[in-house]
Amino acid sequence: MTAPENAHLDENADWPTHGTYEYAEYYHSRAQIHPYTSETAAMLQTAAFDYVVVGAGPIGAALAFRLARDGVRVLLVEQNWSEPDRIVGELMQPAGCMALGRLGLARAFSGIGAVPAHGYFITYRGRSLYVPYMRGLKGVSFHHGRFVMNLRAACKAQATICCVEASAAELLRHGDAVRGVRIGPSKADGTGVDVCPRVLTFVCDGIASQFRRVLNPAPVELISHFCGFVLEHEPVETADFFAARAGVLAQCRRPSDTHSNPLPMPHNGHVLLDGTGPVLLYQMSERETRVLADLPGPTLPEPSRLRAALRESLARAAPKDTYPGLHAKLMAQLDAAPRIRCIASKFIPATHNRLDGAVWIGDALNVRHPLTGGGMTVGLWDVVHLTELLGASAAVDARAVRRITAQWHWRRRPRALVVNVLSVALHALFAAETKELGLLREACFAYLARGGACTMQPSGFLSGLLASPILLVFHFFSVALLALRLRITGASTAYAGGSLPMRIFTAFYTLWVAACVILPRIWEELRP
């Protein structure tokens, strides 16, 4: 397992990244993994499991671990137990860290070079503002694959989890109920084996779930594409950046102090709003920063034009005269990157589960835009709520399980609605494909800069800590009313000019646009 290269900076014992990981010895171990063979098939035919979990990503692994702590037998099926390589799922919001603590996995960031995150540094038209997390809480940014391997290591250490490396071929249906899952067939051996758990099958196979259409046949909406590469740099030169939010702010307010990290505010997420779409920067370790540039629209530029489009967006987001060091690093690394990795940004609202015997959870159930980094937070809290409802004793009565899953659907909804709707609404504002949306983006920046509740409560939405849909609507329309005022008074720079009657008309039209951005998304999340 990769250890932090700058362990001497790890001086704060209350970081989630501090110390050793109790399951570190299982990180690389394959001794506990059963590849799909005839022997494994025979074992699965005779073994009895309370639960089957399909997918050992962040949500599936956390779910299997939490269930195993109650002493039940769990079959965890994953097609590939090697370290994943993804460009999203690399930032855990504070609410997600809290959920991991509830699940007994608070130490899962240890030993992988993870970096604490204290909030967001946001730039727009030459101005910047800082949005800290509520109550001084911290998030964590990291290599996705290393974090997943830590979660899998915790699963491999549990005697009641059977880890199988195989594909889940299909769900076994009987009318409107799911009886279990067919494991295999594999290319190497035979036809597969049917496994029917005593209680439930959990579908946790992620954003590209092959079983989502069983629950939700609606077409997937593509919103944009994130294109990413890694920025390599030296670490910060002082441990003050690790002290807490106050230490970070103190360092960034001393222009005479220099550090070799090119980010304006290390150990924070960076949102640069002047590109073609929003540009995100966050550290995966002390020496590596992920760059994600959003290109709005359902299609990507031609491969021959992709780098040129990214160069234009990054040059606008981090202009040379304002951020010379960062600009130079971005341009050099973009040219040197052997490949640009792209992932489609989707929105899939959650569907109420009306099939007995199975529960879809995590990105297999619903997906939001990755702009706010809230996917794992929603999924982990789904695990917390569901396992608390299931309790220590596995319910075998189908009616009782049906009641539990219905309760879970309503219990998860407030936080999921806030994170999901916020992600799509903010992307619409930050991508700003029309003058009205540009006006709303300007108003959003001005609103966040006001401080107090105008800053900290939106921070609570971003971090997943404030799960209040009503409060989200209040703040969103407060931004819309500020946009209306900016337009009518002529104070807006994003939508300037026009006579007073025209400004009044376009101001109220902007209010209508704001309603069209958020209200349909809320309805999609609320409908039964």
Side-chain angles (χ1 to χ4, degrees):
M1 179 166 53
T2 303
E5 297 177 3
N6 302 92
H8 65 282
L9 292 176
D10 188 355
E11 298 175 0
N12 192 331
D14 67 353
W15 294 354
T17 61
H18 183 84
T20 57
Y21 187 46
E22 60 264 45
Y23 305 113
E25 64 184 285
Y26 296 95
Y27 186 94
H28 290 297
S29 173
R30 291 188 60 87
Q32 300 78 20
I33 299 172
H34 302 275
Y36 187 79
T37 62
S38 56
E39 292 79 8
T40 300
M43 179 269 292
L44 293 176
Q45 285 179 324
T46 58
F49 298 101
D50 298 297
Y51 299 97
V52 172
V53 178
V54 177
I59 307 308
L63 173 61
F65 175 83
R66 177 61 185 85
L67 291 171
R69 291 181 68 194
D70 290 334
V72 297
R73 290 279 296 164
V74 181
L75 173 62
L76 180 57
V77 182
E78 169 60 42
Q79 190 170 16
N80 186 352
W81 285 79
S82 302
E83 185 171 311
D85 183 17
R86 295 185 62 194
I87 65 169
V88 292
E90 297 168 324
L91 174 68
M92 184 71 73
Q93 299 288 1
C97 297
M98 292 172 60
L100 280 173
R102 294 270 287 269
L103 297 171
L105 291 165
R107 310 299 308 164
F109 302 111
S110 300
I112 60 172
V115 175
H118 302 285
Y120 289 95
F121 177 81
I122 306 174
T123 69
Y124 176 66
R125 295 197 170 191
R127 296 173 291 163
S128 64
L129 64 88
Y130 183 59
V131 179
Y133 287 134
M134 295 179 71
R135 303 192 296 273
L137 295 173
K138 291 184 285 290
V140 185
S141 53
F142 44 82
H143 280 269
H144 174 83
R146 298 176 191 174
F147 173 63
V148 171
M149 292 300 281
N150 261 3
L151 296 180
R152 291 177 179 179
C155 292
K156 288 185 279 188
Q158 307 307 308
T160 56
I161 297 180
C162 178
C163 303
V164 173
E165 187 170 59
S167 61
E170 62 178 299
L171 296 178
L172 304 175
R173 301 280 299 275
H174 181 71
D176 289 332
V178 174
R179 297 189 298 110
V181 63
R182 175 161 296 157
I183 309 300
S186 73
K187 294 179 181 178
D189 187 272
T191 59
V193 58
D194 295 347
V195 179
C196 299
R198 191 168 65 96
V199 186
L200 278 173
T201 297
F202 294 104
V203 180
C204 309
D205 55 346
I207 193 169
S209 173
Q210 61 175 320
F211 301 127
R212 183 187 292 118
R213 286 189 174 275
V214 175
L215 178 70
N216 181 7
V220 175
E221 178 185 355
L222 296 181
I223 302 173
S224 66
H225 286 80
F226 262 133
C227 302
F229 58 93
V230 176
L231 198 66
E232 297 179 353
H233 51 75
E234 292 300 309
V236 294
E237 295 175 349
T238 169
D240 289 346
F241 278 96
F242 294 79
R245 177 167 58 90
V248 173
L249 288 173
Q251 286 295 319
C252 291
R253 285 171 180 164
R254 294 184 211 156
S256 60
D257 288 352
T258 60
H259 54 77
S260 51
N261 187 311
L263 298 177
M265 192 173 283
H267 295 187
N268 287 275
H270 292 67
V271 185
L272 314 181
L273 297 181
D274 293 314
T276 305
V279 174
L280 306 184
L281 307 173
Y282 52 84
Q283 292 177 250
M284 300 185 295
S285 70
E286 275 305 309
R287 294 181 179 270
E288 297 164 294
T289 290
R290 172 68 70 194
V291 180
L292 288 178
D294 182 83
L295 296 180
T299 59
L300 276 170
E302 294 293 327
S304 59
R305 287 250 328 123
L306 181 59
R307 285 183 191 260
L310 290 177
R311 172 176 281 274
E312 178 186 354
S313 181
L314 293 173
R316 288 166 48 187
K320 186 176 183 179
D321 56 342
T322 307
Y323 303 104
L326 177 59
H327 177 91
K329 281 275 188 182
L330 287 171
M331 296 300 108
Q333 201 68 54
L334 176 62
D335 292 337
R339 63 171 177 151
I340 303 299
R341 303 182 59 186
C342 301
I343 185 169
S345 302
K346 307 174 182 178
F347 178 75
I348 305 171
T351 300
H352 187 55
N353 188 3
R354 290 180 170 83
L355 292 173
D356 291 339
V359 173
W360 280 253
I361 192 166
D363 283 350
L365 173 66
N366 77 293
V367 180
R368 75 288 311 146
H369 197 283
L371 173 66
T372 56
M376 288 186 294
T377 296
V378 172
L380 290 170
W381 275 102
D382 285 354
V383 173
V384 169
H385 293 316
L386 187 54
T387 52
E388 287 180 352
L389 287 168
L390 287 169
S393 59
V396 295
D397 178 68
R399 185 173 299 175
V401 173
R402 193 180 305 124
R403 183 176 64 252
I404 286 171
T405 55
Q407 291 174 333
W408 168 73
H409 181 77
W410 289 101
R411 185 178 290 189
R412 70 175 296 277
R413 180 165 280 182
R415 191 185 313 272
L417 185 151
V418 167
V419 174
N420 295 346
V421 171
L422 181 69
S423 71
V424 182
L426 279 184
H427 178 264
L429 270 59
F430 290 172
E433 296 178 310
T434 66
K435 285 185 177 181
E436 291 77 23
L437 290 173
L439 176 60
L440 288 167
R441 176 175 61 183
E442 181 181 25
C444 181
F445 187 88
Y447 189 79
L448 291 173
R450 286 181 166 182
C454 297
T455 301
M456 296 314 299
Q457 289 185 356
S459 171
F461 302 141
L462 285 166
S463 60
L465 296 167
L466 198 55
S468 171
I470 294 176
L471 204 55
L472 173 66
V473 172
F474 169 79
H475 281 285
F476 188 85
F477 279 101
S478 295
V479 169
L481 291 174
L482 177 58
L484 185 146
R485 184 165 71 87
L486 290 174
R487 178 59 179 147
I488 291 177
T489 59
S492 170
T493 58
Y495 197 172
S499 62
L500 179 60
M502 178 57 68
R503 294 202 304 271
I504 293 173
F505 172 79
T506 54
F508 281 94
Y509 180 68
T510 299
L511 189 62
W512 166 256
V513 169
C516 292
V517 166
I518 193 171
L519 295 181
R521 301 300 186 184
I522 291 176
W523 168 246
E524 287 178 307
E525 291 289 325
L526 284 177
R527 63 185 178 187

